[in-house]
Amino acid sequence: MKLNQMERYHILLRSYGPQHWWPAESTFEMLIGAILTQNTSWKNVDLALKRLKPGLTPEKIERMSPEALADCIRPSGFYRLKAERIRSFLAWYRDYHYDPSRVSAVDASSLRNELLDVKGIGRETADAMLVYAFKKPFFIADAYARRFFTRLGDDVPKNYDDFRKQVEAGLPDDLAVYQEYHALIVAHGKMHCRAAARCDGCPFFSKCEARIEKDYQRRHGGFK
């Protein structure tokens, strides 16, 4: 029998412990980090954020030239494009006086649509901002989650929002669960459920259909 979402959540939590994500010293740092992490590793994002400090405030970044901002975030890759995206996001955020509490007062669905209308803010980035900065419970249906659930035997929809809603249907309306679940899935994806899976010691060893199928093929030389 397949594990439901909360069973998976509790196995991950027991295995890895609370992750205390997002790794940021301020809400604004989290928001900028969510843009910088597009198509790169967190190691590169961290380097870019360190170059932005101590000027990591919306007012100081808005006063920077596009060239200076791009140079600061160069370690994150695609730095000119990301600089444009940051400036587009700040133009939207300015309407809320850079105040996350004002943003959080907006209805969750409406707020998500606003973010998706910002040039360069896609669904995954918007959902990360919603969950970790603006306190709205959305499942972040990233590549780690897609690979993990597929290997467990789920019929994972190709469409991002279909996948997100499928997972949300099995979760309680609890922001802390959404925040922790995403972070735990990332931790699991880095430790075990990598592109080339590391199955030894995996807490889902006995439940992973991909691993079971692979073992069967190795032993019997074919499919079930």
Side-chain angles (χ1 to χ4, degrees):
M1 181 180 295
K2 287 184 183 178
L3 298 166
N4 64 40
Q5 294 299 343
M6 289 308 295
E7 287 172 333
R8 296 171 184 184
Y9 170 81
H10 286 297
I11 290 171
L12 289 168
L13 189 60
R14 287 195 300 270
S15 300
Y16 300 102
Q19 299 297 295
H20 306 295
W21 257 38
W22 187 284
E25 295 177 5
S26 67
T27 298
F28 185 65
E29 182 177 331
M30 181 274 140
L31 292 165
I32 298 303
I35 297 172
L36 294 179
T37 199
Q38 296 170 352
N39 301 304
T40 194
S41 70
W42 186 257
K43 178 181 178 181
N44 294 333
V45 174
D46 193 45
L47 290 171
L49 289 171
K50 286 177 180 177
R51 286 166 63 101
L52 277 174
K53 293 178 179 179
L56 194 52
T57 68
E59 295 85 359
K60 288 181 179 179
I61 290 181
E62 289 239 71
R63 289 196 293 269
M64 295 175 73
S65 69
E67 295 77 17
L69 176 57
D71 185 62
C72 267
I73 64 172
R74 184 182 292 266
S76 70
F78 303 98
Y79 52 94
R80 292 188 182 90
L81 179 61
K82 289 180 181 179
E84 292 176 7
R85 291 175 176 177
I86 289 171
R87 292 174 69 84
S88 295
F89 172 74
L90 288 177
W92 170 84
Y93 201 28
R94 190 189 314 126
D95 289 340
Y96 289 95
H97 304 279
Y98 311 122
D99 184 349
S101 65
R102 293 192 183 203
V103 180
S104 298
V106 178
D107 167 76
S109 180
S110 298
L111 180 55
R112 188 172 191 265
N113 288 333
E114 283 190 33
L115 284 169
L116 292 175
D117 282 339
V118 177
K119 186 177 180 181
I121 303 298
R123 287 170 171 78
E124 187 177 323
T125 302
D127 289 340
M129 290 177 168
L130 288 162
V131 171
Y132 292 105
F134 303 132
K135 314 306 180 188
K136 307 293 186 184
F138 286 91
F139 181 73
I140 303 166
D142 65 359
Y144 286 113
R146 180 172 292 277
R147 184 165 61 222
F148 176 40
F149 294 155
T150 298
R151 285 176 173 169
L152 287 180
D154 291 2
D155 183 11
V156 176
K158 292 182 180 180
N159 177 270
Y160 177 97
D161 280 322
D162 289 344
F163 178 30
R164 173 181 64 80
K165 291 174 183 177
Q166 181 185 80
V167 178
E168 289 174 358
L171 296 175
D173 187 18
D174 185 337
L175 178 65
V177 169
Y178 280 85
Q179 292 176 331
E180 210 44 86
Y181 201 18
H182 171 68
L184 288 164
I185 289 170
V186 172
H188 181 63
K190 291 179 177 179
M191 178 66 71
H192 289 291
C193 203
R194 306 168 66 135
R198 293 180 174 177
C199 297
D200 289 348
C202 174
F204 295 90
F205 186 87
S206 65
K207 299 292 185 180
C208 179
E209 292 195 9
R211 196 273 310 164
I212 293 168
E213 180 64 34
K214 183 178 179 180
D215 283 355
Y216 183 92
Q217 291 181 47
R218 186 177 67 250
R219 293 172 183 170
H220 301 281
F223 291 92
K224 295 179 184 177

